[in-house]
DNA sequence: CTTAGGG
DNA sequence: CCCTAAG
């Protein structure tokens, strides 16, 4: 496929004037030093250069990648505000811009003002048409709003953002084309001619500066990205281009490939939407400006051909941000498909299946309190994430190969998981509900804090019993023995709970000694007998540091414990 | 990985 | 409940 593309693309693209691949700095400058980049972007200096570069970029891509013969109306709409408004003479204007003349400053600002108007138009048009844009739309539009509201920086930002927004509004442009009379082929041709007239010297002089600006632009784009798809994309192309500084062929192939993918995909899913949107500004211009069917005729006749290119290129590890976000997406999207549920509960189920009956018997033997912890209403949890994000995940279901594979795996494994759940539910409703509860709490979190699940008295009793059996500190064993069914209680949780119980037992004693009235409130629904037991266990199995001193001061003698306990508690001597 | 301990 | 260091 890549060879195919390499053979086909140069025939259709005429890239004479430019010796240096303009996207190399764009792609190579990526995840290594985002902080510095951000800092750089924060400096309000380069606006004029960026303005110039914006137009330069446009012209570059147009000239470089397409021998402009059949430019669709989208191109005209995109370029028109920049080229035709404010300056009647496109040729002269562009020429000056390319030369980096001082006049370009003023004109650049004019261009920017019109661009802003255009961006606002795009925003409103976007809102009007409500086209399917994927998850990044809002953020981009938000950027637009921010730019228009902050005059201090909006010039620079909007300049660097125009292409982004054009990408976001791509469908908008298309819609506009359907019912507007903005087609302006003259401007395009003039631009094209201007490039042809440019001398080799000028282009070569521009290259260094232009590359710098292009890098800025690209990095800006980089930071605008909401998900990692385009990062992957960029990485791929980066790998492709590293060390090949003048590989226009590869450039063309890699940059046009997603376009073709998008086009060939009949039901354009969010996946490809995102891909196209996440392209660099230059790519987007190409995407929008080119007559894509024409591209398709050049030996790209199926998605299966374009697919290997992607997988072949994906060799660099995605950035951390991408990993987190993709995990977020996958967890959200696969939540309903047992994605995380499977992951978290697989071992649990396997383990439970073998030992569940046995431990359950032990539980019942151990239970001293009635089954208050059926977890009936306790497990109904409201998801943290917004419903909007769910929609995104739906659209981006297969927006990465990795994600797609994950989803597939989850779907494949899901039936087994469900079978397990059903089989277990026949055994014990409580435990399954706990597992589901736990799975939900993890699946939706996406790395966030686990939902707080209050310890039920029976759980406390189980913990106490486990401590009495295994001793303090053997939390894994206790967990395995008594909490194997409740996967949301980890050994660390047991440890923490035990620590809290010790504190509670201490403080409660002190409180009880002082005020008899506040006892119920202070106990926090933990029966006093349990606390007594905790205290005694703390004596028998001293907690490494804190329990010894604390308990020793307040813990009564064993004789007092036996006297104070009700008969529901098994005497400690039997347990130990 | 498990535990202890601080936050 | 989270995080991390230590073993």
């Amino acid at each position: 496929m890549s060879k195919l593309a390499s053979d086909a693309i140069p025939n259709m693209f005429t890239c004479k004037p430019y010796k240096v691949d303009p996207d190399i700095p764009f792609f190579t400058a990526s995840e290594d030093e985002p902080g510095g980049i951000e800092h750089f972007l924060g400096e309000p200096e380069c606006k004029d250069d960026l303005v110039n570069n914006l137009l330069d970029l446009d012209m570059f891509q147009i000239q470089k990648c397409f021998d402009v013969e059949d430019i669709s109306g989208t191109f005209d709409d995109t370029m028109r505000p920049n080229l035709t408004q404010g300056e009647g003479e496109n040729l002269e204007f562009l020429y000056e811009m390319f030369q980096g003349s001082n006049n370009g400053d003023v004109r650049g600002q004019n261009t920017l003002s019109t661009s802003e108007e255009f961006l606002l138009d795009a925003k409103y048009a976007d809102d009007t048409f409500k086209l399917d844009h994927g998850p990044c739309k809002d953020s981009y539009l938000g950027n637009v709003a921010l730019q228009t509201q902050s005059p201090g920086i909006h010039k620079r930002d909007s300049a660097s953002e125009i292409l982004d927004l054009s990408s976001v509004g791509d469908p908008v442009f298309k819609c506009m084309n359907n019912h507007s009379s903005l087609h302006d082929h003259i401007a395009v041709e003039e631009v094209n001619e201007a490039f042809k007239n440019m001398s080799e010297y000028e282009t070569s002089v521009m290259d260094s500066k232009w590359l710098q600006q292009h890098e800025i632009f690209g990095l800006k784009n980089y930071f605008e990205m909401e998900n990692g798809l385009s990062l992957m994309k960029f990485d791929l192309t980066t790998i492709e281009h590293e060390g090949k500084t003048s590989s226009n062929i590869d450039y063309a192939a890699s940059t046009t490939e997603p376009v073709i993918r998008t086009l060939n995909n009949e039901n354009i899913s969010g996946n490809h939407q995102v891909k196209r949107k996440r392209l660099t500004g230059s790519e987007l211009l190409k995407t929008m400006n080119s007559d894509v069917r024409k591209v398709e005729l050049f030996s790209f006749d199926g998605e299966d051909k374009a697919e290997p290119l992607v997988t072949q290129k994906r060799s660099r590890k995605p950035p951390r941000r991408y990993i987190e976000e993709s995990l977020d997406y996958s967890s959200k999207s696969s939540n309903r498909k047992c994605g995380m549920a499977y992951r978290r509960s697989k071992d649990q189920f396997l383990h439970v299946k073998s030992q569940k009956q046995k431990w359950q018997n032990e539980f019942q033997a151990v239970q001293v309190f009635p089954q208050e912890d059926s977890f009936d209403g306790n497990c109904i949890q409201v998801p943290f994430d917004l419903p909007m994000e769910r929609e995104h995940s739906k659209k981006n279901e297969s927006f990465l190969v990795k994600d797609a594979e994950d989803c597939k795996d989850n779907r494949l494994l899901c039936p087994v998981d469900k079978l397990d759940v059903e089989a277990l539910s026949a055994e014990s409703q409580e435990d399954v509900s706990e597992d589901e509860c736990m799975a939900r709490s993890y699946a939706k979190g996406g790395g966030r804090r686990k939902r707080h699940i209050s310890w039920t008295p029976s759980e406390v009793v189980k913990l106490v019993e486990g401590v009495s059996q295994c001793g303090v500190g053997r939390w894994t064993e206790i967990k395995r023995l008594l909490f194997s069914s409740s996967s949301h209680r980890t050994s660390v949780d047991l440890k923490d709970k035990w620590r809290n119980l010790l504190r509670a037992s201490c403080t409660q004693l002190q409180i009880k000694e002082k005020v008899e009235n506040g006892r119920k409130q202070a106990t926090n629904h933990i029966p006093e007998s349990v606390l007594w037991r905790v205290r005694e266990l703390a004596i028998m199995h001293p907690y490494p540091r804190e329990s010894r001193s604390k308990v020793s001061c307040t813990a009564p003698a064993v004789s007092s414990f036996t006297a104070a306990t009700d008969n529901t508690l098994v005497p400690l001597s039997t347990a130990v």
Side-chain angles (χ1 to χ4, degrees):
Chain A
M1 155 61 199
S2 62
K3 189 169 185 60
L4 201 59
S6 301
D7 293 337
I9 299 252
N11 292 332
M12 67 191 246
F13 298 134
T14 58
C15 327
K16 302 167 200 165
Y18 307 105
K19 296 166 185 157
V20 182
D21 187 346
D23 271 6
I24 285 171
F26 175 88
F27 288 119
T28 49
S30 56
E31 71 261 30
D32 287 336
E33 40 187 5
I37 293 152
E38 221 161 16
H39 172 68
F40 183 73
L41 289 171
E43 293 179 1
E45 296 163 358
C46 53
K47 62 180 180 186
D48 292 331
D49 286 340
L50 265 172
V51 172
N52 294 340
N53 176 246
L54 170 68
L55 294 176
D56 294 353
L57 180 62
D58 298 347
M59 296 307 105
F60 264 87
Q61 303 309 327
I62 295 157
Q63 170 69 22
K64 175 172 175 293
C65 295
F66 300 100
D67 193 7
V68 182
E69 294 174 4
D70 184 13
I71 298 285
S72 68
T74 54
F75 167 79
D76 304 337
D77 295 341
T78 310
M79 298 301 298
R80 183 189 177 104
N82 301 334
L83 301 182
T84 62
Q85 294 185 13
E87 296 290 337
E89 297 161 343
N90 296 332
L91 262 177
E92 180 185 351
F93 169 68
L94 289 170
Y95 205 81
E96 287 174 2
M97 295 295 276
F98 279 120
Q99 286 177 335
S101 65
N102 293 330
N103 294 337
D105 296 347
V106 180
R107 283 163 183 172
Q109 290 182 7
N110 290 338
T111 305
L112 279 176
S113 60
T114 55
S115 300
E116 287 160 14
E117 296 175 11
F118 176 70
L119 297 180
L120 284 175
D121 289 342
K123 178 184 189 300
Y124 294 137
D126 191 50
D127 291 336
T128 302
F129 289 107
K130 296 289 184 189
L131 291 171
D132 182 17
H133 282 342
C136 62
K137 175 189 71 175
D138 293 333
S139 68
Y140 276 88
L141 294 178
N143 286 336
V144 181
L146 275 178
Q147 288 159 17
T148 54
Q149 288 170 5
S150 57
I153 58 170
H154 72 291
K155 283 179 180 175
R156 174 178 56 83
D157 282 346
S158 55
S160 60
E161 202 102 25
I162 282 174
L163 293 177
D164 296 345
L165 289 160
S166 66
S167 74
V168 172
D170 183 10
V172 176
F173 295 135
K174 286 177 179 171
C175 288
M176 288 167 67
N177 285 334
N178 292 336
H179 58 77
S180 69
S181 60
L182 291 178
H183 298 251
D184 188 4
H185 290 265
I186 297 174
V188 181
E189 291 170 3
E190 285 174 350
V191 169
N192 196 19
E193 202 153 348
F195 266 83
K196 285 179 178 173
N197 291 335
M198 286 177 69
S199 66
E200 292 274 336
Y201 168 75
E202 284 165 335
T203 54
S204 61
V205 166
M206 283 170 49
D207 272 344
S208 60
K209 183 181 175 182
W210 184 87
L211 287 175
Q212 284 182 347
Q213 302 301 333
H214 198 159
E215 180 174 357
I216 298 164
F217 176 82
L219 292 172
K220 171 99 180 137
N221 238 354
Y222 180 92
F223 277 96
E224 297 295 337
M225 287 182 248
E226 291 291 322
N227 59 48
L229 171 67
S230 52
L231 301 189
M232 294 294 295
K233 215 66 187 147
F234 296 161
D235 288 339
L236 300 180
T237 47
T238 305
I239 295 164
E240 186 84 3
H241 292 297
E242 275 173 356
K244 304 190 212 169
T245 40
S246 52
S247 168
N248 280 330
I249 293 172
D250 282 352
Y251 170 78
S254 60
T255 49
T256 49
E257 176 265 341
V259 178
I260 291 147
R261 284 174 53 89
T262 305
L263 290 168
N264 288 335
N265 198 4
E266 293 183 355
N267 49 344
I268 296 175
S269 62
N271 164 21
H272 291 154
Q273 286 280 339
V274 173
K275 274 186 180 175
R276 189 174 52 172
K277 258 182 304 181
R278 297 306 191 189
L279 298 180
T280 71
S282 56
E283 294 175 31
L284 284 159
L285 266 189
K286 277 182 288 186
T287 305
M288 295 164 54
N289 299 343
S290 65
D291 187 352
V292 282
R293 286 178 203 87
K294 182 177 163 187
V295 178
E296 195 173 3
L297 287 179
F298 276 88
S299 80
F300 300 107
D301 53 357
E303 192 177 5
D304 49 348
K305 286 186 179 178
E307 195 68 46
L309 189 60
V310 180
T311 55
Q312 174 188 351
K313 286 179 178 179
R314 181 174 289 114
S315 56
R316 178 183 284 190
K317 180 183 140 192
R320 206 177 73 185
R321 179 175 171 184
Y322 158 71
I323 295 174
E324 292 171 358
E325 300 221 3
S326 67
L327 281 177
D328 232 7
Y329 276 122
S330 73
S331 69
K332 284 166 192 164
S333 63
S334 60
N335 189 9
R336 285 159 294 178
K337 304 164 195 163
C338 318
M340 293 296 286
Y342 165 76
R343 199 177 296 174
R344 292 294 309 188
S345 56
K346 180 184 74 175
D347 52 343
Q348 203 69 38
F349 284 143
L350 292 177
H351 183 63
V352 167
K353 258 196 156 181
S354 57
Q355 296 192 347
K356 186 177 185 62
Q357 207 65 43
K358 174 183 167 189
W359 298 134
Q360 203 173 7
N361 294 337
E362 290 198 23
F363 297 163
Q364 288 167 357
V366 160
Q367 297 294 333
V368 284
F369 293 100
Q371 293 279 343
E372 302 168 8
D373 55 340
S374 59
F375 285 89
D376 285 335
N378 202 14
C379 298
I380 300 172
Q381 299 171 10
V382 179
F384 285 146
D385 47 349
L386 299 172
M388 253 183 61
E389 293 177 88
R390 288 252 167 119
E391 291 301 313
H392 291 170
S393 67
K394 217 175 181 178
K395 289 173 190 171
N396 300 322
E397 203 171 67
S398 59
F399 89 129
L400 263 184
V401 174
K402 178 174 176 295
D403 257 8
E405 285 173 359
D406 280 348
C407 289
K408 217 195 291 182
D409 286 346
N410 290 335
R411 284 191 210 103
L412 287 176
L413 294 165
C414 194
V416 181
D417 192 20
K418 274 179 176 170
L419 285 178
D420 279 348
V421 172
E422 287 170 5
L424 285 178
S425 66
E427 290 183 5
S428 165
Q429 188 66 39
E430 171 190 345
D431 291 324
V432 170
S433 65
E434 285 183 11
D435 278 336
E436 283 179 351
C437 174
M438 179 270 154
R440 270 180 228 148
S441 85
Y442 272 94
K444 65 164 177 278
R448 274 184 282 271
R449 180 179 254 254
K450 191 170 74 174
R451 181 193 175 277
H452 173 72
I453 302 175
S454 300
W455 279 73
T456 60
S458 71
E459 277 181 314
V460 172
V461 169
K462 280 200 287 186
L463 175 61
V464 169
E465 214 54 41
V467 169
S468 70
Q469 289 181 14
C470 308
V472 172
R474 312 181 71 171
W475 308 118
T476 308
E477 194 173 346
I478 297 172
K479 151 92 175 159
R480 194 178 68 244
L481 290 176
L482 301 178
F483 290 87
S484 61
S485 62
S486 53
S487 55
H488 59 284
R489 301 299 184 200
T490 68
S491 57
V492 178
D493 292 331
L494 301 185
K495 181 258 301 177
D496 288 338
K497 183 58 181 174
W498 181 255
R499 187 170 52 174
N500 291 334
L501 281 177
L502 284 182
R503 290 174 189 163
S505 66
C506 283
T507 56
Q508 187 191 348
L509 248 196
Q510 295 170 350
I511 290 173
K512 184 187 176 185
E513 288 173 357
K514 290 180 179 178
V515 185
E516 292 283 336
N517 307 339
R519 186 171 55 90
K520 275 189 178 178
Q521 186 212 354
T523 54
N524 216 9
H525 298 101
I526 296 177
E528 191 180 351
S529 59
V530 177
L531 289 177
W532 277 106
R533 185 91 189 266
V534 168
R535 208 167 297 118
E536 191 208 283
L537 287 171
I539 297 170
M540 304 298 292
H541 308 272
Y543 208 73
R545 281 185 197 174
E546 66 184 37
S547 70
R548 180 55 108 176
S549 58
K550 282 183 184 176
V551 172
S552 62
C553 61
T554 55
V558 178
S559 58
S560 68
F561 158 73
T562 49
T565 3
D566 45 0
N567 49 11
T568 58
L569 280 175
V570 184
L572 193 65
S573 55
T574 64
V576 177

